[in-house]
Amino acid sequence: MGLLTIGAFAKASRLSPKALRLYDELGLLNPARVDPVTGYRLYAPEQLDQARLVAWLRRLGMPLARIQHVSALDAAEAAQEIRAFWAGVEADTAARRNLATFLIDHLSWKDPAVSPTAKPLGIRYAALSDTGLVRESNQDTAYAGSRLLAVADGYGSGGADASAAAVDVLKRLETDTISAGDLLNVLEDAVEQARQAVHGVPAARSTPHDAGTTLTAMLWTGAQLALVHIGDTRVHLLRAGELFQITHDHTLVQSMVDEGRISAEEALSHPQRSLLTRALGQGADETPDMRLHDAQQGDRYLLCSDGLSTVVPSEDIRRVLAETGEPDDTVRALVALANGVGGPDNIGCVVADVIELEQ
């Protein structure tokens, strides 16, 4: 088969002549020959596979610059690059889905105070942070107040300062009067201020990237808990005796589980299980998840660092949450549970019970 005209090649490759001209100008898909008299572009049949790949990658939404890079790779490397690109697309989609869910919940929410039958609810809470039995210092920060619950797990030489700085910023929400209409903006501003505070921690250090933190916090709104989450600190909900994890870990192994590359069981012992894909810190992806959760009387929330969640089996955590009474007793029991199996990491935890307030 001889060379194909641009029209014939466009039809065979499912790319428009206009797109082919653009890709030629960018050096992405050059014609095999350009007629010196007419200037017509002519393509070789063996270029169809590359053209079809370009068309498929465009349908995926891959930028042209990245397509040019992928096109120059061998098949195995190209497949790996496409897998990495798609994982990023899914992460971005998930973040936007979370924001859309937050907005829908936020805009649909009606203040329970307008309903004469609504029961006023509050929270009873306790926080505890412990060094554990192996680490020399404690980089976890745990805080519980009448409106704010927060756990942050610092990393790097400035990790303790980073986790404390992030939580200190959010503590300002305790005294602020926040209307339902301002909730989303207030949370977004608070996370941005926490980010700036964390970035300021290592300013005087020789290694500017050596400080960061996870951050998981819940703001009590009177009938709902607004969640901000980044990293691998977790929130669990005990409701009617069942334990639910309501955050999604931002870790390499969790992304591998999501992609089906390893099982959840394999993730528990993976050597890179602590490698974060999101955190507050220089050079990190600092995009938080945000959600609203409707609270019910009798709910029990646990916020904890991985010094508890990756050390103690979830059934043991559920049992302690279900069987221990006051939040103060519960956080002590959970820390003791982690230390009872070696306490290999710092332990930060917050327990909050949703209760009916006396009228």
Side-chain angles (χ1 to χ4, degrees):
M1 182 184 294
L3 296 179
L4 302 174
T5 65
I6 190 171
F9 191 79
K11 184 175 181 180
S13 64
R14 297 185 180 182
L15 289 168
S16 69
K18 181 179 179 180
L20 288 173
R21 294 187 190 99
L22 173 63
Y23 299 160
D24 180 18
E25 292 171 5
L26 296 175
L28 178 59
L29 184 61
N30 299 125
R33 180 172 174 266
V34 178
D35 189 290
V37 176
T38 64
Y40 288 165
R41 293 172 172 86
L42 301 172
Y43 294 83
E46 53 267 27
Q47 289 183 283
L48 281 172
D49 284 343
Q50 182 183 5
R52 287 166 180 154
L53 175 61
V54 171
W56 291 331
L57 293 177
R58 286 299 291 157
R59 291 181 65 184
L60 282 179
M62 184 178 286
L64 289 174
R66 193 160 183 176
I67 291 176
Q68 189 169 25
H69 171 67
V70 172
S71 298
L73 301 174
D74 61 36
E77 292 175 329
Q80 185 175 359
E81 185 70 15
I82 294 168
R83 183 182 295 111
F85 168 76
W86 191 247
V89 171
E90 290 185 323
D92 179 64
T93 301
R96 286 185 288 170
R97 184 190 307 118
N98 290 336
L99 179 56
T101 301
F102 185 98
L103 284 168
I104 292 167
D105 290 343
H106 173 63
L107 295 172
S108 302
W109 180 57
K110 299 295 186 293
D111 193 327
V114 303
S115 171
T117 61
K119 296 179 179 179
L121 299 175
I123 52 174
R124 185 171 54 214
Y125 48 84
L128 184 61
S129 180
D130 188 84
T131 305
L133 303 179
V134 175
R135 300 291 177 90
E136 294 182 357
S137 62
N138 188 1
Q139 296 186 315
D140 285 5
T141 299
Y143 173 81
S146 60
R147 300 192 64 182
L148 179 71
L149 313 169
V151 172
D153 182 357
Y155 61 83
S157 62
D161 293 337
S163 67
V167 173
D168 282 345
V169 168
L170 265 63
K171 285 180 184 179
R172 302 169 191 169
L173 300 177
E174 284 277 17
T175 57
D176 291 343
T177 301
I178 305 170
S179 66
D182 289 335
L183 180 59
L184 181 60
N185 290 335
V186 166
L187 288 174
E188 185 176 33
D189 289 346
V191 173
E192 172 59 21
Q193 291 165 13
R195 183 188 70 81
Q196 293 176 5
V198 171
H199 285 199
V201 166
R205 297 176 183 273
S206 58
T207 50
H209 295 281
D210 197 22
T213 186
T214 67
L215 179 63
T216 300
M218 303 189 85
L219 180 65
W220 176 247
T221 67
Q224 291 181 314
L225 283 159
L227 168 68
V228 174
H229 167 67
I230 183 166
D232 63 350
T233 41
R234 293 180 178 179
V235 178
H236 293 271
L237 166 64
L238 183 74
R239 177 175 286 176
E242 295 293 324
L243 188 64
F244 306 93
Q245 182 180 332
I246 60 175
T247 51
H248 192 71
D249 290 349
H250 299 144
T251 60
L252 176 63
V253 294
Q254 183 60 58
S255 66
M256 294 169 69
V257 172
D258 296 341
E259 295 167 13
R261 294 162 62 188
I262 62 174
S263 67
E265 291 72 24
E266 290 172 324
L268 295 174
S269 57
H270 195 281
Q272 294 180 307
R273 60 187 177 275
S274 297
L275 186 60
L276 297 170
T277 56
R278 290 196 229 171
L280 294 180
Q282 295 280 3
D285 180 349
E286 300 176 305
T287 308
D289 292 341
M290 293 195 296
R291 298 188 186 94
L292 288 175
H293 284 271
D294 290 316
Q296 297 181 12
Q297 182 181 353
D299 283 350
R300 170 165 275 192
Y301 286 88
L302 166 67
L303 288 70
C304 66
S305 65
D306 61 348
L308 176 67
S309 59
T310 63
V311 173
V312 178
S314 58
E315 176 53 31
D316 291 342
I317 293 175
R318 188 206 66 80
R319 176 181 51 78
V320 169
L321 289 172
E323 296 178 1
T324 310
E326 294 297 318
D328 280 329
D329 297 330
T330 306
V331 292
R332 286 195 292 267
L334 289 169
V335 168
L337 203 59
N339 284 331
V341 291
D345 200 354
N346 305 149
I347 310 147
C349 59
V350 169
V351 170
D353 296 336
V354 180
I355 59 172
E356 183 179 353
L357 298 176
E358 296 182 3
Q359 291 180 289

